[in-house]
Amino acid sequence: MPLLERQSIKSLNKVIIIVIAILSVLSLIMIYSATSTSEAVGFKNNFFVKQAIWIVISFALLIIVSTISYEVWIGFSPWMYYITIGLLLILLVVGKNVFGSVRWFHLGPVAFQPSEFAKAALVLMLTKFIADNKGKIDLLEGMGKTFLLIGIPMSLILLQPDLGTTLIFIPMVFFMLFISGMKKRYLITTFALLAALAPLFYFFLMKDYQRKRITSFLNPEADPLGSGYSLIQSKIAVGSGGLFGKGLFKGTQSQLNFIPEHHTDFIFSVIGEELGFVGAVIIIFLYYMLIMEGIKIAIYAKDRASTILATGIVAIFITQVFVNIGMTLGLLPVVGVPLPFLSYGGSSLLFSMFLAGILLNIHMSIKKFSS
Amino acid sequence: MALERVQDKEQKKRFKLLITFGSVLIGIIFLRLFYIQLISYRKYKNLAENNSTRTVPKRAARGIIFDRYGEKLADSVPSYTVSIIPVDLKDSEKVIPMLARILEISEEEIKQKIENQRQKVFEAIKIKGDLKSSVISIIEEHKPELPGVIIHTEAKRNYPNKEIAAHVIGYVGEVNINDVNKSKLSVGDTVGRAGIERKFDAELRGVNGASKIMVNSSGKEIKSLGDDPFTKGTDLVLTIDLKLQKAAEEYFKGRRGVIVCMNPGNGEIYALVSKPGFDPNVFCGQLDKREWEKLLNDPEQPFLNRAVGGLYSPGSVFKIVPAVTALEKNKLKADDVFVCRGTYHYGKDWTYDCWKTDGHGVLSMADAVAQSCDIYFYQLGLTVTADRISEYAKLFGYGSLTGIDLDGEKAGLVPTPVWKKDKFGIPWFPGNTIQYTIGQGYITANPLQILSTYDIIINNGTSYKPHLIKSINGKETEKAMLKSFAISAKTLEIVKKSLWKTVNLGGTGGKAKSVYGIAGKTGTVENPHGLSHATFAGYAPFANPEVSVLVFIEGGGSGGENAAPIGKQVIEAYFKLKKERYAAIRKTEHKELK
């Protein structure tokens, strides 16, 4: 296991580090603002303190992971994959028996969300699978295996039910296969098939509350106090922010609890309301930089595996950012997807940092190679 | 450098798709932000403000109604109101039934009120006012289960003297949805429904204010966003003398009918009693539907202001009109006499009785008035003719409104032969004239009109518009002429003498004889539905009248026996109060001098 070297610290991708650092600071500020007057929450700045701790821990993880060769993780990926499936199964059984729907493991004071772990496991496992099966993926057998490999954990997550995380996987898988060189017609056929299956899924597999989220997305005014509530309130929050926003702690929508989950999934609504268009645009610009930097790393990655891995990670970030922000702006139905590096929550932050760490390592491996 | 290792051209092309994918998604977000934060900013800003702002109307306290000496006839007291803010009514299926149970009203009533004001979901809608403290504590106790339900204070109309002068003051009620639609009123506002409250509603009402509060998503108040205070309505000073009014009501206790007491010199009404009456306070709280219907369907018609809205045959108090007509038209002289034998035969088949069955004997006009002899007046009427009597009746004010500042006045009817022919297709018979002359038959009038005709005599041919408003905002109501016509001094002297005689020289009004020098006329009105109505119209002091009074007792029997004493009591009460007030003023002046 390569150790942290002077040179490698120097060759850390500054754009990614800076973007993540800024987002982390903003995250703390916004969580502080969002929860400072919240009455539903018992301890005033509990969230702020917890998130601060998580940021420290996960930032450390980011640096550590950046020094560990991504190949190590690819090597671990089958194990991670099996653990994921195991965790998801346990969650499904225990959750079903006890609560009906559960996405969390509670380990003492720490709540752990296996969906987040699954993201990391799957992106690594798929990288390994594509790398190991060079030239076979395009065959029918290879394709079948690929979809089995992804389909199992995806179905388990879908059964939780966690529609949001499931959605994140689709562009990830698509771009990983696409960049790896899979024939366009296969991909097109496959995703066309998926699209065709969507209505079946909607009518037969989705829970009532999920269907409601989609119908209320299409027409939120139909039930403004019920299922359309979050969507309407979030849009109002962002819209009322205007150009410069209402100022920190001054967003009526966030401070008076009109936006539900305003420190987690709806943190962007708080940003839109309190920091306005200017603040929101800065945020999306930061993500844009992160994404473009990630793509650059994928392009220049030293081998096929790292290219595919970087692509997968970038696709996860793009999708997650779009699904989350799109939801707060009323572009997409409400699905529980956190905003990477900004939303409150340890699991999400930890695994976002983990994936960013891998990206950093891929970047360093290019430098090393070229130097 | 590393470019060579990028596998092939195809992959490069494929990366472009990934770049496009990322850029397009970020671009979509950017455009969306641009749209909702910059283009639709106003809309969302308003929505956000509405979200957290609730408006609780501060309904204006109505103006105070004072009597002429500054006694309160109507004022406002604080009371508790329960309202619903529809947007915070998160669980209406539970909250409405619960609130209905607590308030003891129907769920439909609550739903209807919310429905009536459905455009204003951020505004408190009044559900019930005048809450008892027990009800308030129940609501406070269940506050967490009643999201969207608030309690606030409001001014409630109060009538400290209860049923005293109820028909003058009137009463208020909550507006109904129809009123709301055609005016600037909003649901829950109070409007005058009768009396002065109704006639001067615009002045009394004032302008509502509002208090704005900031609430959180559970509708819990976070802070006040400022109050827009209401503007209290204008105070009114009435011509009513509360003490005299109280005295008059006391004398009239247990009776049905009217007392009107006024200043003949300017039309100011000192007291106006109409019985049966009601306590206007019952309308200020929330009236039970059953209670309401009971009052409305009461055959005694307690809400009818009989003084202006009750039409009666005037009876013998009308006799001054034919008397003046006869003298003015030179059809009779004052000392011309007719004979009364108790029964008057007209033609072969018709006989008409005097109230005194054994007759009055030979009578001149003054005696005929004083004795209220009917047979004298039958003959007078036939001599003068109905047309001429009607001509004068109209000059006196019969058949036209007095224009008092109350709604619901009825003008009554002055019949003529032409009118009868038009109306019934049959000619006017001499018998009609006979009845007409003694104030019976077709003629009808309201009691205030009758009193007003006596003012004509008192003021030598002029009457003033009776009114109840003394001043608004310090601006005094000026006296306005109602009727005025020339009556010769001689005629006036004869009529006045007759009225003096009636009370003071062995006439039918003897029971009204008083040190204050009362003159007047009694009447006993035949009532086809039961006992005769007793009336008395009088004034004092004879030489220089400053107060006139009309007493009309439905089914009261003899006017001389029953109405005259009450007339006397009222007039004496007027003078006694006047004396007391002078004494009080002198006492304070005396003290000041010391």
Side-chain angles (χ1 to χ4, degrees):
Chain A
M1 208 189 281
L3 289 170
L4 194 65
E5 294 163 31
R6 236 171 219 293
Q7 191 204 2
S8 59
I9 291 179
K10 265 189 220 157
S11 56
L12 273 175
N13 184 306
K14 288 185 190 67
V15 176
I16 290 177
I17 293 286
I18 290 167
V19 166
I20 288 175
I22 296 173
L23 288 174
S24 299
V25 172
L26 277 170
S27 161
L28 274 179
I29 295 170
M30 294 326 293
I31 286 165
Y32 185 78
S33 177
T35 59
S36 61
T37 53
S38 171
E39 291 150 53
V41 179
F43 306 104
K44 236 188 167 186
N45 294 321
N46 210 10
F47 287 104
F48 173 77
V49 175
K50 274 190 179 173
Q51 186 73 0
I53 294 168
W54 277 118
I55 286 173
V56 172
I57 294 172
S58 54
F59 210 85
L61 180 79
L62 173 81
I63 303 300
I64 294 165
V65 171
S66 70
T67 64
I68 300 169
S69 169
Y70 66 87
E71 283 161 10
V72 175
W73 303 112
I74 291 179
F76 282 160
S77 66
W79 293 106
M80 288 171 77
Y81 181 80
Y82 296 132
I83 291 169
T84 298
I85 294 195
L87 285 174
L88 290 173
L89 277 172
I90 293 169
L91 199 62
L92 214 57
V93 173
V94 175
K96 273 261 155 66
N97 288 343
V98 184
F99 301 109
S101 158
V102 160
R103 300 174 186 176
W104 302 84
F105 275 120
H106 290 273
L107 308 166
V110 183
F112 168 70
Q113 204 172 4
S115 309
E116 295 295 330
F117 184 67
K119 261 184 252 170
L122 218 60
V123 74
L124 289 165
M125 185 65 206
L126 192 57
T127 304
K128 181 178 164 61
F129 185 78
I130 294 169
D132 291 352
N133 294 281
K134 193 171 181 211
K136 290 185 205 156
I137 298 275
D138 267 6
L139 303 173
L140 209 58
E141 194 199 334
M143 273 201 59
K145 277 185 179 167
T146 309
F147 287 105
L148 202 63
L149 184 79
I150 298 148
I152 291 168
M154 260 176 84
S155 315
L156 290 174
I157 292 169
L158 199 57
L159 285 170
Q160 278 184 14
D162 182 352
L163 192 59
T165 310
T166 319
L167 277 175
I168 304 297
F169 289 132
I170 295 171
M172 179 195 92
V173 173
F174 176 87
F175 278 105
M176 287 171 80
L177 292 172
F178 185 63
I179 295 298
S180 76
M182 184 177 259
K183 284 204 174 86
K184 271 183 199 160
R185 56 164 191 253
Y186 285 141
L187 274 170
I188 291 165
T189 317
T190 312
F191 283 87
L193 211 69
L194 268 180
L197 285 172
L200 285 176
F201 172 71
Y202 178 86
F203 287 111
F204 298 109
L205 282 172
M206 268 177 143
K207 302 249 161 125
D208 261 352
Y209 86 92
Q210 290 174 313
R211 266 199 287 269
K212 223 171 175 185
R213 275 180 180 180
I214 290 173
T215 49
S216 68
F217 160 69
L218 296 171
N219 183 17
E221 307 301 329
D223 187 8
L225 292 177
S227 52
Y229 184 78
S230 328
L231 218 60
I232 293 174
Q233 295 302 338
S234 168
K235 227 161 51 169
I236 292 173
V238 177
S240 63
L243 184 59
F244 295 110
K246 299 174 187 168
L248 283 175
F249 311 105
K250 286 180 190 151
T252 51
Q253 289 289 102
S254 351
Q255 303 298 332
L256 302 172
N257 277 337
F258 286 99
I259 313 169
E261 313 271 343
H262 51 232
H263 58 297
T264 59
D265 291 354
F266 282 92
I267 192 81
F268 192 79
S269 316
V270 184
I271 294 170
E273 185 181 26
E274 299 193 341
L275 304 181
F277 183 70
V278 172
V281 168
I282 290 173
I283 299 286
I284 60 167
F285 180 70
L286 289 171
Y287 281 119
Y288 184 74
M289 299 225 322
L290 181 71
I291 290 159
M292 289 308 143
E293 199 61 23
I295 295 174
K296 227 185 272 129
I297 292 169
I299 292 171
Y300 294 112
K302 70 169 185 194
D303 57 19
R304 188 163 176 267
S306 55
T307 296
I308 292 165
L309 182 54
T311 302
I313 292 169
V314 170
I316 289 174
F317 284 149
I318 295 174
T319 320
Q320 226 172 312
V321 167
F322 182 72
V323 170
N324 178 282
I325 298 182
M327 161 186 92
T328 65
L329 301 184
L331 286 171
L332 292 171
V334 174
V335 287
V337 171
L339 190 56
F341 308 108
L342 275 176
S343 283
Y344 172 82
S347 306
S348 159
L349 187 62
L350 215 56
F351 285 97
S352 295
M353 291 283 197
F354 175 72
L355 294 177
I358 293 174
L359 262 186
L360 287 178
N361 182 264
I362 295 171
H363 172 81
M364 277 195 291
S365 65
I366 309 164
K367 293 253 169 144
K368 267 191 214 164
F369 185 88
S370 57
S371 57
Chain B
M1 40 158 213
L3 251 181
E4 309 90 68
R5 265 183 289 76
V6 172
Q7 283 80 354
D8 46 44
K9 265 189 173 175
E10 174 62 18
Q11 201 184 42
K12 251 161 90 185
K13 248 166 72 189
R14 290 190 171 199
F15 267 116
K16 270 183 192 149
L17 187 72
L18 182 59
I19 293 169
T20 314
F21 179 72
S23 307
V24 165
L25 294 190
I26 295 287
I28 288 171
I29 290 171
F30 178 83
L31 290 175
R32 181 68 174 173
L33 281 171
F34 187 85
Y35 178 72
I36 69 173
Q37 292 195 294
L38 302 184
I39 293 172
S40 313
Y41 169 62
R42 290 254 140 242
K43 171 186 158 193
Y44 288 113
K45 188 179 165 250
N46 284 338
L47 286 170
E49 271 164 21
N50 286 341
N51 243 342
S52 57
T53 310
R54 301 288 177 269
T55 306
V56 180
K58 281 178 122 43
R59 292 197 180 83
R62 289 173 79 80
I64 299 171
I65 303 177
F66 294 104
D67 90 333
R68 60 189 301 123
Y69 297 110
E71 301 278 351
K72 279 179 184 170
L73 298 175
D75 58 6
S76 296
V77 290
S79 74
Y80 286 99
T81 293
V82 63
S83 295
I84 280 181
I85 298 176
V87 76
D88 296 329
L89 196 63
K90 295 278 151 61
D91 195 358
S92 58
E93 255 110 80
K94 267 191 200 150
V95 173
I96 291 176
M98 188 169 175
L99 190 63
R101 267 202 314 281
I102 295 172
L103 299 176
E104 292 174 337
I105 56 176
S106 71
E107 289 176 37
E108 283 64 42
E109 199 179 330
I110 298 178
K111 283 179 189 155
Q112 189 57 49
K113 284 184 169 163
I114 297 172
E115 183 63 24
N116 285 348
Q117 206 143 323
R118 59 174 307 163
Q119 305 90 339
K120 302 181 181 170
V121 292
F122 299 104
E123 204 169 289
I125 295 172
K126 181 172 177 175
I127 301 299
K128 191 177 177 182
D130 196 22
L131 297 182
K132 291 195 198 84
S133 55
S134 57
V135 175
I136 297 162
S137 53
I138 294 172
I139 294 173
E140 291 292 352
E141 224 171 89
H142 294 277
K143 203 96 204 238
E145 298 147 72
L146 294 168
V149 174
I150 60 161
I151 291 176
H152 52 112
T153 53
E154 263 188 341
K156 182 197 108 178
R157 200 52 155 168
N158 176 52
Y159 302 101
N161 309 300
K162 303 206 165 64
E163 68 277 5
I164 302 293
H167 287 99
V168 172
I169 304 162
Y171 56 90
V172 293
E174 207 167 289
V175 289
N176 58 43
I177 188 72
N178 297 327
D179 298 330
V180 172
N181 291 342
K182 60 185 179 219
S183 65
K184 281 194 289 181
L185 297 163
S186 56
V187 173
D189 279 358
T190 305
V191 285
R193 289 254 179 255
I196 291 293
E197 291 275 31
R198 172 174 163 148
K199 193 81 181 172
F200 293 88
D201 187 56
E203 287 81 0
L204 289 165
R205 196 190 300 145
V207 183
N208 287 350
S211 65
K212 289 194 187 296
I213 51 172
M214 183 185 264
V215 294
N216 68 8
S217 61
S218 346
K220 195 180 154 202
E221 183 173 344
I222 301 298
K223 63 173 180 182
S224 167
L225 295 174
D227 281 354
D228 168 16
F230 65 74
T231 312
K232 184 174 155 281
T234 308
D235 294 343
L236 299 181
V237 178
L238 302 193
T239 58
I240 295 290
D241 174 351
L242 178 62
K243 283 186 178 163
L244 185 61
Q245 174 81 29
K246 275 184 177 165
E249 300 219 3
E250 181 61 33
Y251 307 143
F252 209 65
K253 217 172 200 175
R255 293 182 172 85
R256 225 170 30 165
V258 173
I259 298 178
V260 184
C261 176
M262 68 190 276
N263 180 346
N266 60 14
E268 285 183 0
I269 292 179
Y270 292 140
L272 189 153
V273 180
S274 173
K275 291 286 158 181
F278 58 93
D279 179 356
N281 287 303
V282 299
F283 302 99
C284 302
Q286 298 270 323
L287 200 60
D288 193 275
K289 215 173 190 174
R290 252 180 303 146
E291 231 176 304
W292 187 205
E293 270 164 13
K294 208 180 115 200
L295 280 168
L296 267 185
N297 298 328
D298 190 333
E300 298 270 296
Q301 290 183 275
F303 296 119
L304 175 66
N305 183 352
R306 290 166 158 76
V308 297
L311 288 180
Y312 304 92
S313 298
S316 291
V317 291
F318 179 69
K319 283 174 181 165
I320 58 166
V321 176
V324 167
T325 315
L327 295 169
E328 289 291 286
K329 293 283 181 186
N330 287 317
K331 295 294 164 188
L332 281 178
K333 287 188 195 69
D335 37 16
D336 284 350
V337 294
F338 287 111
V339 181
C340 166
R341 291 203 174 84
T343 305
Y344 177 70
H345 297 274
Y346 184 82
K348 268 188 255 165
D349 306 323
W350 305 93
T351 58
Y352 300 91
D353 293 334
C354 185
W355 64 269
K356 195 173 175 190
T357 42
D358 49 353
H360 289 100
V362 179
L363 291 156
S364 69
M365 183 179 281
D367 291 324
V369 171
Q371 299 303 325
S372 203
C373 176
D374 294 334
I375 286 170
Y376 174 96
F377 274 92
Y378 297 155
Q379 295 167 89
L380 179 147
L382 291 170
T383 312
V384 176
T385 74
D387 276 323
R388 292 205 182 89
I389 295 171
S390 292
E391 182 192 333
Y392 270 82
K394 284 175 184 162
L395 288 172
F396 268 89
Y398 281 105
S400 57
L401 298 173
T402 67
I404 188 177
D405 27 21
L406 287 177
D407 285 330
E409 188 184 5
K410 287 191 178 141
L413 177 74
V414 174
T416 61
V418 173
W419 165 84
K420 189 186 172 192
K421 182 89 185 150
D422 284 352
K423 175 100 177 166
F424 302 109
I426 40 173
W428 183 273
F429 300 116
N432 295 134
T433 307
I434 286 170
Q435 282 196 308
Y436 185 20
T437 318
I438 61 161
Q440 302 274 167
Y442 297 117
I443 184 163
T444 56
N446 71 52
L448 183 64
Q449 266 177 335
I450 298 172
L451 179 57
S452 181
T453 64
Y454 278 78
D455 293 349
I456 296 270
I457 299 298
I458 296 167
N459 299 320
N460 304 325
T462 301
S463 62
Y464 296 100
K465 196 170 149 183
H467 59 271
L468 287 161
I469 296 293
K470 185 148 176 62
S471 65
I472 298 178
N473 264 337
K475 194 176 161 284
E476 292 270 331
T477 310
E478 280 170 36
K479 71 174 177 185
M481 201 173 276
L482 178 64
K483 296 282 173 187
S484 192
F485 63 100
I487 310 177
S488 70
K490 210 176 155 202
T491 301
L492 284 166
E493 196 200 318
I494 295 163
V495 174
K496 286 179 184 174
K497 211 172 89 186
S498 310
L499 296 174
W500 175 257
K501 224 172 172 179
T502 305
V503 176
N504 298 284
L505 298 168
T508 52
K511 292 212 164 160
K513 191 172 173 181
S514 157
V515 289
Y516 295 106
I518 300 173
K521 178 79 194 80
T522 62
T524 304
V525 186
E526 281 171 35
N527 174 16
H529 308 293
L531 269 175
S532 299
H533 304 319
T535 61
F536 175 77
Y539 58 91
F542 178 70
N544 190 16
E546 53 183 87
V547 60
S548 62
V549 67
L550 181 88
V551 179
F552 196 106
I553 310 170
E554 284 184 17
S558 159
E561 289 300 315
N562 302 318
I566 294 176
K568 174 190 164 178
Q569 279 179 309
V570 173
I571 288 174
E572 289 194 335
Y574 168 84
F575 286 108
K576 274 177 202 154
L577 285 167
K578 189 178 167 186
K579 230 163 134 183
E580 273 172 35
R581 285 177 181 128
Y582 269 133
I585 292 167
R586 270 213 297 275
K587 217 169 153 187
T588 50
E589 278 175 353
H590 192 64
K591 269 186 195 161
E592 278 165 14
L593 279 174
K594 268 185 176 174

